[in-house]
Amino acid sequence: MSMFTRDETTDLEQVTEVEGEIREFVRRDAASLRRQPDEGKAVADNISSLLQRVSVSSVQEIDRLISDLQVLRNRLHEEGERVQREIIEYATLSQAAMQSTKIIAESLSHWKRVPDAPGISEGG
């Protein structure tokens, strides 16, 4: 004879079944938690790899732009120096022209003062 009644036995079986399901759930959950760090590491590695590829591409593009800007800066510097040289040449030429003009003007004024010199309109 059993110490439990039929209802008690049924209740005990149900409790045991529920406990078994809980244990199985905990085992599966614990197993998935143990796998998650590995999966998380794989996801992190994938994200890291993707970020490296994207950043390498971006860094290469930035390096190319820096190089292009340096070339343009050098070209602009060279053009600035060329323009300065041309301005100096222009100023020198302008001063020479002004001096020549003064010399010519002074020579013409001397011709006007010479009393025996024929005039330009008299035609010689």
Side-chain angles (χ1 to χ4, degrees), residues 3 5 8 11 16-17 26 32 37 41 43 45 47 49-50 61 64-65 67 73 80 82 97 103 107 121-122:
M3 294 191 324
T5 63
E8 289 174 332
D11 287 344
T16 304
E17 186 179 330
V26 169
S32 74
K41 186 175 185 304
V43 169
D45 288 345
I47 290 173
S49 174
L50 176 66
E61 181 68 16
R64 188 185 63 75
L65 289 172
S67 176
R73 180 179 181 263
R82 183 189 63 79
I103 292 171
S107 295
S121 60
E122 293 175 12

Side-chain angles (χ1 to χ4, degrees), residues 42-62:
V43 169
D45 288 345
N46 287 341
I47 290 173
S48 176
S49 174
L50 176 66
L51 287 175
Q52 284 177 343
R53 281 184 277 153
V54 169
S55 66
V56 164
S57 174
S58 296
V59 167
Q60 287 174 343
E61 181 68 16
I62 289 169

Side-chain angles (χ1 to χ4, degrees), residues 31-89:
S32 74
L33 286 175
R34 276 186 245 126
R35 278 183 284 183
Q36 280 182 349
D38 292 340
E39 291 172 6
K41 186 175 185 304
V43 169
D45 288 345
N46 287 341
I47 290 173
S48 176
S49 174
L50 176 66
L51 287 175
Q52 284 177 343
R53 281 184 277 153
V54 169
S55 66
V56 164
S57 174
S58 296
V59 167
Q60 287 174 343
E61 181 68 16
I62 289 169
D63 286 344
R64 188 185 63 75
L65 289 172
I66 288 171
S67 176
D68 290 349
L69 287 172
Q70 286 174 335
V71 167
L72 290 174
R73 180 179 181 263
N74 290 338
R75 194 175 299 159
L76 183 61
H77 183 71
E78 290 169 1
E79 281 297 304
E81 288 177 344
R82 183 189 63 79
V83 167
Q84 283 181 336
R85 284 191 307 270
E86 289 188 13
I87 288 173
I88 290 170
E89 288 176 18

Side-chain angles (χ1 to χ4, degrees), residues 88-104:
I88 290 170
E89 288 176 18
Y90 174 78
T92 304
L93 182 63
S94 178
Q95 284 179 345
M98 289 290 287
Q99 288 175 351
S100 298
T101 305
K102 280 183 181 179
I103 292 171
I104 293 170

